[in-house]
Amino acid sequence: MQKQFKMFSLVFYYLCSFHRILLSTLMSVPLSISLAQSHLELTHHADLKVSPVHVQAHHLNAFLPKDSEPIDEGTLSLEEDVLKDEIDTDISNEISVHEHVVSKGDAFSTILHQYDVEQEDIRKLITVDTEMRNLHIGQKLAWVLNEDNKIEHLIWERSQSEKRYYDRTKEGFKVSILFRTGESYQKIMKVVVNGSFINSAKLSGLNSHEIRAVITSLQWQIDFRKLHDGDCFDILTMHATLNSVKQHSELLGVRFRNSSKDYYAIRASDGKFYDCNGSGLASGFMRFPTVRKYRVSSPFNPRRTNPVTGRIAPHKGVDFAVPIGTPVLSIGNGEVIVSTYSETAGNYIAIRHGRQYMTRYMHLKTLFVRKGQKVKRGESIALSGNTGRSTGPHIHFETWINNQAVNPMTARLPAMEKLTGKELRSYLRRVQKVLFQLHKE
């Protein structure tokens, strides 16, 4: 009976507010009849004493999913883990703007879903421009979310000559189209690090957009926070002009030189960056932080509401119910930025992967890594536990992209890629042209 009651409580918890109210109303009718009958019986037994039942606050956890953190306990804020340096603060809009290059298999809705953009916004955008149903590989999307996680502005770069802008209105979105006509030219810029990459790049004439592009292209190969004076970047960009006025630029290739090695990142026709042989620069991520997939005891839900208070209590990760002592693995190559204890998260670890990705692992028993340590994809970083605010043994796992929590189960993560066939041959021809420009002294 107790097991059935808990199951009913769990189902009731996941219903929307309207259905909860409807179900409660329907249940109240037979309950009222039952109480009335009980009252009539009690009038015939005046000597029977009835004591009130008091429910303690901590007993409410019995009605919630097991093997997860209590619903009224929010997870750690992003600011507690993100390393704040000049790359985070000196480039305008790096946090508020989200960018995506369309890849094979992408659809407009799936791209935005991983950032938890509401379906209503997606529907309105497709309604105002039905061509959004037909994205092409290499096209670019950039958008800004407001405080309510709704799209405020969106830019769709369909080609080098066409951009579409979507701005929120009271009724939905309005669209405006900009066609570029004119000439284009290539330009080589050299950046020699002196003090910091950001300042050195600005002094060399790069704008914020171009600096972000360089950082993104090489994020898997070098750490921009650990450069040395004298390190050198050769940067090839394509510039479009209209009436002799510069309109925009696109990064075509980068060569980074230090005392020991040269690194390259060259853009392919799909908008992604590869090395000189056509291999992707990212090592690829695993989907789960364990050897096998365990039961999800609490899903990702940024709009989760506390069933008692009705307040929003976001769940910014996924809880996997695992036995204590289960090995916890890093899902990708990265650097440990936090390895510590928190009253809420218990023993927990945060790992930064490149400049755009971060993962967090909470309620651990034993930590194997320390802050500043480099880890590899699949490396054991801890043993699972039940520390901090937790209702049972589990791993709370979070994935962040561009400083925003996304659903770890559905987010599009970096994959190990390599161009082949016709695409590879076309790319290698492009490489020859780009390298010729990058090696000009």
Side-chain angles (χ1 to χ4, degrees):
M1 181 65 181
Q2 184 180 7
K3 184 177 181 180
Q4 292 174 337
F5 181 70
K6 289 183 178 180
M7 180 61 71
F8 171 79
S9 301
L10 180 60
V11 172
F12 183 81
Y13 161 70
Y14 279 107
L15 292 175
C16 67
S17 300
F18 173 76
H19 290 145
R20 288 182 190 172
I21 296 172
L22 179 62
L23 183 58
S24 300
T25 303
L26 293 175
M27 292 178 61
S28 64
V29 175
L31 180 61
S32 300
I33 296 174
S34 176
L35 289 174
Q37 292 176 341
S38 299
H39 176 72
L40 291 175
E41 293 179 3
L42 287 174
T43 56
H44 297 287
H45 301 276
D47 58 334
L48 182 62
K49 295 182 178 180
V50 180
S51 300
V53 178
H54 299 282
V55 179
Q56 300 296 324
H58 66 272
H59 290 158
L60 294 174
N61 287 332
F63 304 110
L64 304 177
K66 289 295 185 182
D67 312 313
S68 62
E69 70 274 8
I71 197 170
D72 55 344
E73 296 295 334
T75 55
L76 299 175
S77 66
L78 177 67
E79 288 71 20
E80 296 183 51
D81 289 345
V82 171
L83 296 178
K84 291 296 182 183
D85 56 27
E86 61 174 3
I87 297 177
D88 291 312
T89 57
D90 286 3
I91 302 179
S92 61
N93 293 330
E94 183 178 18
I95 293 179
S96 60
V97 176
H98 302 283
E99 299 177 340
H100 185 90
V101 178
V102 178
S103 304
K104 184 178 180 180
D106 274 348
F108 182 69
S109 59
T110 58
I111 292 171
L112 295 184
H113 269 315
Q114 67 177 323
Y115 289 91
D116 194 48
V117 174
E118 291 186 357
Q119 183 63 38
E120 181 65 14
D121 273 3
I122 297 173
R123 185 191 64 79
K124 289 179 179 178
L125 284 165
I126 293 177
T127 299
V128 78
D129 188 353
T130 57
E131 292 188 46
M132 278 189 166
R133 299 181 185 273
N134 301 306
L135 299 180
H136 296 288
I137 294 174
Q139 292 180 337
K140 299 175 187 176
L141 293 170
W143 63 93
V144 177
L145 299 177
N146 60 27
E147 295 179 353
D148 298 325
N149 220 44
K150 297 178 182 294
I151 290 181
E152 197 66 32
H153 310 284
L154 184 141
I155 302 174
W156 179 19
E157 189 171 333
R158 301 190 70 202
S159 66
Q160 290 187 357
S161 60
E162 181 186 348
K163 269 188 177 182
R164 299 192 178 189
Y165 297 83
Y166 306 82
D167 296 293
R168 176 176 290 280
T169 65
K170 292 182 178 180
E171 295 75 24
F173 292 89
K174 69 174 182 179
V175 58
S176 56
I177 302 177
L178 173 65
F179 291 100
R180 294 196 187 99
T181 58
E183 298 179 350
S184 62
Y185 64 93
Q186 293 184 2
K187 182 179 180 180
I188 283 284
M189 289 176 282
K190 187 182 296 291
V191 176
V192 179
V193 177
N194 182 14
S196 75
F197 172 72
I198 297 292
N199 290 334
S200 301
K202 288 180 178 179
L203 290 174
S204 298
L206 275 71
N207 58 38
S208 295
H209 168 76
E210 292 163 344
I211 294 172
R212 278 199 303 271
V214 172
I215 293 172
T216 301
S217 68
L218 287 170
Q219 64 177 313
W220 305 110
Q221 296 174 284
I222 63 175
D223 188 339
F224 282 82
R225 293 176 293 110
K226 298 180 180 180
L227 299 178
H228 299 91
D229 288 353
D231 288 346
C232 184
F233 293 82
D234 299 299
I235 302 165
L236 177 63
T237 54
M238 175 72 78
H239 296 258
T241 62
L242 179 61
N243 297 328
S244 300
V245 178
K246 179 180 173 181
Q247 297 296 305
H248 85 298
S249 63
E250 182 177 78
L251 179 64
L252 299 181
V254 184
R255 176 193 182 195
F256 168 70
R257 294 178 282 158
N258 59 20
S259 59
S260 60
K261 187 178 179 181
D262 285 8
Y263 298 87
Y264 295 89
I266 299 173
R267 183 187 295 274
S269 58
D270 63 3
K272 298 180 181 179
F273 288 89
Y274 298 82
D275 65 13
C276 293
N277 300 314
S279 295
L281 301 178
S283 61
F285 281 23
M286 303 187 306
R287 180 62 67 180
F288 309 106
T290 52
V291 174
R292 67 181 180 87
K293 179 183 177 181
Y294 287 86
R295 176 178 64 86
V296 173
S297 57
S298 186
F300 176 82
N301 186 358
R303 297 184 183 85
R304 181 180 65 169
T305 57
N306 187 307
V308 178
T309 65
R311 294 194 298 266
I312 297 294
H315 193 240
K316 296 182 179 180
V318 170
D319 293 343
F320 296 100
V322 300
I324 291 179
T326 300
V328 180
L329 313 178
S330 171
I331 69 165
N333 295 354
E335 179 182 349
V336 178
I337 57 176
V338 173
S339 180
T340 188
Y341 176 82
S342 159
E343 290 186 2
T344 301
N347 291 320
Y348 83 101
I349 293 169
I351 299 176
R352 194 171 203 165
H353 312 271
R355 294 299 308 182
Q356 297 173 288
Y357 300 86
M358 182 180 73
T359 53
R360 301 203 290 188
Y361 314 75
M362 303 181 184
H363 306 298
L364 308 171
K365 175 184 178 183
T366 307
L367 307 179
F368 294 154
V369 294
R370 63 186 183 281
K371 182 179 179 180
Q373 182 176 335
K374 296 291 183 64
V375 295
K376 295 290 186 181
R377 175 180 182 267
E379 181 177 339
S380 180
I381 57 175
L383 296 178
S384 67
N386 189 29
T387 58
R389 302 290 178 87
S390 172
T391 61
H394 75 287
I395 303 170
H396 176 87
F397 172 60
E398 297 180 1
T399 301
W400 293 70
I401 302 178
N402 293 329
N403 295 338
Q404 181 175 345
V406 298
N407 190 341
M409 307 295 284
T410 60
R412 184 173 291 277
L413 301 175
M416 299 179 68
E417 297 179 293
K418 183 174 177 63
L419 298 173
T420 59
K422 183 179 179 180
E423 291 179 343
L424 177 60
R425 291 191 294 271
S426 175
Y427 175 76
L428 293 178
R429 289 193 294 270
R430 179 188 296 235
V431 169
Q432 291 179 345
K433 297 178 181 178
V434 172
L435 289 182
F436 177 77
Q437 297 277 26
L438 292 175
H439 282 268
K440 283 184 176 181
E441 296 292 343

